[in-house]
């Protein structure tokens, strides 16, 4: 039996404590209200922030949020912090989430979609788009449709099986 969480939400952060605070409050609330505690892993990778980021994370942990907190001994740069997230995540799917805000009910909808299908990558659109779900089997068509939005870090959830042996350092 697989005891891995379905989804690891990984938040790479650096000196954005007020935004992280709100993000963690929203995510923790949705996890608790939707009963997703065993489904979602919440991970914060602090890139050696000089603000009160450690205090913010500690506050949420003390309030009952299950957060795996990693504080880098030095600033690894943006790419290094992203790699730290991927390497420490244990879920079947990994979502690098900037300290963005989620609409109420978003986590439940995402978990339902991830659990119902065999998916390699989920790309979430920003704003109020209601195109529904589009499945792609052609990578070129997907990239043409998504265009530059593929670089929006919070818009992509990747199946961890596709990055298990990935050589991150080769592309940093």
């Amino acid at each position: 039996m697989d005891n891995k969480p379905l989804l690891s939400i990984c938040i790479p952060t650096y000196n954005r404590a007020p935004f992280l605070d709100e993000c963690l409050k929203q995510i923790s609330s949705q996890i608790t209200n939707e009963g997703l505690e065993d489904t979602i892993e919440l991970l914060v990778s602090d890139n050696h922030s000089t603000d009160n980021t450690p205090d913010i994370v500690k506050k949420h942990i003390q309030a009952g949020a299950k957060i795996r907190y990693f504080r880098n001994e030095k600033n690894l740069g943006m790419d290094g912090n992203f790699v730290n997230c991927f390497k420490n995540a244990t879920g079947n799917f990994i979502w690098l989430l900037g300290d963005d805000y989620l609409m109420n009910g978003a986590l439940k909808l995402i978990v339902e979609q991830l659990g119902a299908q065999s998916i390699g990558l989920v790309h979430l659109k920003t704003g109020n788009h209601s195109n529904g779900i589009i499945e792609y089997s052609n990578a070129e068509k997907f990239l043409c449709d998504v265009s530059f939005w593929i670089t929006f870090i919070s818009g992509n959830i990747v199946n961890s099986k596709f990055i298990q042996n990935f050589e991150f350092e080769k592309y940093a």
Side-chain angles (χ1 to χ4, degrees):
M1 184 170 173
D2 188 6
N3 290 330
K4 291 169 51 171
L6 177 67
L7 175 63
S8 291
I9 299 175
C10 303
I11 304 172
T13 192
Y14 176 71
N15 284 348
R16 294 180 52 84
F19 301 102
L20 179 64
D21 189 26
E22 184 62 29
C23 179
L24 291 175
K25 183 168 60 173
Q26 287 184 337
I27 291 172
S28 297
S29 173
Q30 286 190 45
I31 289 172
T32 302
N33 292 341
E34 299 295 343
L36 300 172
E37 296 88 350
D38 295 331
T39 306
I40 295 177
E41 168 186 49
L42 186 53
L43 184 149
V44 174
S45 183
D46 178 1
N47 209 9
H48 202 78
S49 295
T50 57
D51 65 2
N52 65 328
T53 293
D55 297 329
I56 294 297
V57 175
K58 183 178 179 182
K59 175 182 89 169
H60 286 276
I61 291 172
Q62 289 175 338
K66 293 180 182 176
I67 299 172
R68 293 181 57 220
Y69 178 58
F70 297 89
R71 179 169 166 78
N72 301 329
E73 291 182 19
K74 64 178 185 171
N75 188 312
L76 305 175
M78 183 175 60
D79 288 343
N81 204 27
F82 293 171
V83 169
N84 192 46
C85 287
F86 279 115
K87 287 186 174 181
N88 285 294
T90 63
N92 291 319
F93 292 90
I94 301 171
W95 186 9
L96 287 190
L97 181 67
D99 39 34
D100 297 304
Y101 305 140
L102 302 178
M103 293 175 56
N104 285 333
L107 287 183
K108 182 179 180 186
L109 178 64
I110 289 168
V111 164
E112 288 171 354
Q113 292 303 311
L114 294 176
Q117 304 177 45
S118 176
I119 298 172
L121 172 76
V122 173
H123 176 76
L124 306 170
K125 289 188 172 186
T126 61
N128 290 329
H129 301 285
S130 59
N131 295 356
I133 297 172
I134 302 171
E135 292 184 32
Y136 291 90
S137 57
N138 180 300
E140 187 174 315
K141 171 82 171 116
F142 167 74
L143 290 172
C144 285
D145 286 355
V146 173
S147 183
F148 62 86
W149 284 107
I150 194 70
T151 63
F152 176 54
I153 185 174
S154 296
N156 298 295
I157 302 171
V158 64
N159 190 318
S160 62
K161 73 180 179 181
F162 294 111
I163 60 166
Q164 288 174 350
N165 298 314
F166 191 79
E167 296 179 50
F168 293 101
E169 293 76 13
K170 182 177 178 181
Y171 298 98

